[in-house]
Amino acid sequence: MIRISQPAFLEDTAESVLAVLRSGQLAQGTVVREFENAFARYVGVRHAVACNSGTSALFLALLAHGIGPGDEVITSAFTFIATINAILYVGATPRLVDVDGSFNLDPAQVQAAITPNTKAVLPVYLYGQMAEMAELDDIAHRHNLVIIEDACQAHGAAYDGKFAGTFGSGCFSFYATKNMTTGEGGMLTTNEDEIADRARRLLNHGMQKRYQYRELGYNLRLTEIAAAIGIKQLARLDAMNRLRQENARYFDDHLINIRGLVLPRVLPRRTHVYHQYTLRLLPEFALTRAQFINALDACGIGSAIYYPQPVYEYPYLRDNAWARVRLTEAEMLSQQVVSIPAHPALDSGDREKIVETIRAIAG
Ligand SMILES: *Cc1c(COP(=O)(O)O)cnc(C)c1O
């Protein structure tokens, strides 16, 4: 089976993990700090704050910016549920807007959704491509809004050569399926000293100095073991992203001109890191999406739908006033998208098999 995602490690990762285990210091040691420093250098920001998940990074970013009840956060309706949950954890209100052809926040709709209560705009860099950041940055400046980047799928992605995580407070996930992984883990990036300090305090029980607590804190720490894995993964991130880009280019070249099949587009000014290679199946495609997925599965090729519905349709959310929206792009895309494997562990035989299978299925 060719899986939809697969982590890629070298043997030296096992050595690093063993070294941490042998050291006897499994938490709050120097390895987490080393990982943070390396990540901050890579992204090009003053601070990187490690935590235990991408969801925690989003939660910490919102908390550190003082966003809470009564505040509105403009974000995409076409995203992973954790984006929305983080906003709800802090008691703020999601203001859902639609996406454009890049599967990302549409700046015109962001502009239109601003109210006196808007505090932040939270773009999600879906599938590994950044949003229209020049426009979002401009809107944020004009309206004095914080930018919180859901970069959980966009490690190494860039806009005008500026990395994801440098436009505001960047939130990254190191979950097992992401472009780099520590099993579970996360990182918050920022150029603001107070945001970094506040996040560091909040993720460690709100502790200022030893046993001095000034506010309600949490335990959202990353372990030394995870950080050791992260250091090795970060060192290979560019190489792994290049493999994803090569796989994507191969699919671009070999899956063109299939009736009803829309390939992902790289938009101007952007470096796409293909967390997912996501197709759209239009009604004129030979099969329904369910048939397509079954046919791939029967040939040993994994695929997945990210995401099958806009977030406002989930039963536990849909009774909220803010969830009473209908966003046509998000609804259409959620019916059309399907991602195929593009991860770095694919070999050339896998790629050929994927292309040949899809061409055969499409008749
Ligand atoms: C993975 C992901 C998250 C959450 O990250 P976790 O590490 O799983 O908590 C948030 N947003 C998006 C878009 C993601 O893909």
Side-chain angles (χ1 to χ4, degrees):
M1 189 79 192
I2 304 173
R3 290 155 61 187
I4 180 68
S5 66
Q6 190 172 316
F9 294 105
L10 297 181
E11 265 310 301
D12 64 348
T13 305
E15 287 305 314
S16 287
V17 169
L18 278 175
V20 170
L21 294 177
R22 289 190 182 115
S23 77
Q25 176 99 38
L26 302 195
Q28 296 192 278
T30 57
V31 186
V32 168
R33 196 44 68 97
E34 193 189 325
F35 181 34
E36 290 177 333
N37 291 341
F39 201 85
R41 260 196 315 278
Y42 176 85
V43 169
V45 286
R46 287 170 57 81
H47 306 283
V49 180
C51 58
N52 61 1
S53 73
T55 309
S56 295
L58 288 162
F59 173 58
L60 284 168
L62 291 159
L63 272 184
H65 281 285
I67 293 166
D71 298 334
E72 295 177 3
V73 178
I74 300 174
T75 195
S76 170
F78 190 53
T79 184
F80 182 52
I81 198 64
T83 314
I84 308 306
N85 286 345
I87 297 168
L88 298 177
Y89 296 161
V90 301
T93 303
R95 195 53 67 208
L96 300 175
V97 307
D98 214 347
V99 292
D100 61 18
S102 72
F103 305 108
N104 279 317
L105 270 188
D106 180 348
Q109 300 204 35
V110 170
Q111 174 73 57
I114 293 171
T115 75
N117 295 325
T118 307
K119 288 285 152 52
V121 51
L122 200 167
V124 181
Y125 305 149
L126 206 67
Y127 309 143
Q129 178 164 238
M130 292 178 69
E132 183 43 82
M133 293 314 291
E135 286 183 47
L136 290 182
D137 203 40
D138 184 54
I139 292 169
H141 274 108
R142 275 189 287 115
H143 295 271
N144 202 17
L145 306 179
V146 169
I147 295 180
I148 295 175
E149 307 170 73
D150 185 336
C152 288
Q153 304 187 358
H155 322 66
Y159 183 98
D160 279 346
K162 277 186 73 185
F163 276 119
T166 61
F167 284 82
S169 293
C171 304
F172 294 85
S173 166
F174 306 127
Y175 179 62
T177 60
K178 311 287 179 170
N179 290 39
M180 59 175 282
T181 180
T182 61
E184 299 276 7
M187 194 74 83
L188 169 62
T189 58
T190 177
N191 283 314
E192 295 176 73
D193 299 350
E194 324 87 279
I195 296 300
D197 288 349
R198 184 117 202 263
R200 274 188 208 291
R201 205 161 60 232
L202 286 164
L203 73 85
N204 187 27
H205 304 292
M207 196 162 82
Q208 178 92 9
K209 282 193 203 131
R210 199 168 170 79
Y211 303 125
Q212 285 183 20
Y213 309 103
R214 291 203 318 191
E215 61 190 323
L216 178 66
Y218 305 83
N219 177 356
L220 306 172
R221 294 185 305 248
L222 190 73
T223 67
E224 294 278 290
I225 301 161
I229 299 171
I231 289 167
K232 293 296 184 190
Q233 286 274 288
L234 181 62
R236 292 189 64 215
L237 178 61
D238 284 342
M240 292 194 294
N241 280 344
R242 267 196 300 279
L243 291 172
R244 288 178 184 272
Q245 288 159 345
E246 281 169 24
N247 291 335
R249 196 162 342 112
Y250 183 86
F251 293 143
D252 288 345
D253 290 344
H254 292 83
L255 292 175
I256 53 169
N257 296 330
I258 296 177
R259 194 177 148 77
L261 189 76
V262 181
L263 305 180
R265 264 194 314 144
V266 181
L267 294 171
R269 309 166 81 164
R270 271 156 271 208
T271 308
H272 196 322
V273 294
Y274 292 100
H275 172 61
Q276 297 297 338
Y277 188 89
T278 302
L279 306 168
R280 287 171 58 197
L281 304 189
L282 304 185
E284 56 269 33
F285 187 69
L287 284 74
T288 66
R289 183 170 63 173
Q291 289 167 335
F292 179 75
I293 289 169
N294 285 337
L296 286 179
D297 186 65
C299 297
I301 299 169
S303 61
I305 298 171
Y306 306 111
Y307 295 93
Q309 43 193 355
V311 290
Y312 54 79
E313 290 182 0
Y314 290 110
Y316 80 103
L317 295 177
R318 68 180 171 220
D319 292 334
N320 291 289
W322 55 262
R324 286 190 205 110
V325 289
R326 298 294 306 270
L327 301 171
T328 50
E329 282 293 308
E331 291 188 12
M332 184 188 70
L333 292 173
S334 65
Q335 296 302 309
Q336 294 178 341
V337 292
V338 55
S339 300
I340 59 172
H343 56 75
L346 291 187
D347 63 28
S348 57
D350 294 332
R351 286 193 326 204
E352 282 163 29
K353 181 177 170 183
I354 291 167
V355 162
E356 280 160 21
T357 305
I358 291 176
R359 296 210 78 97
I361 290 171

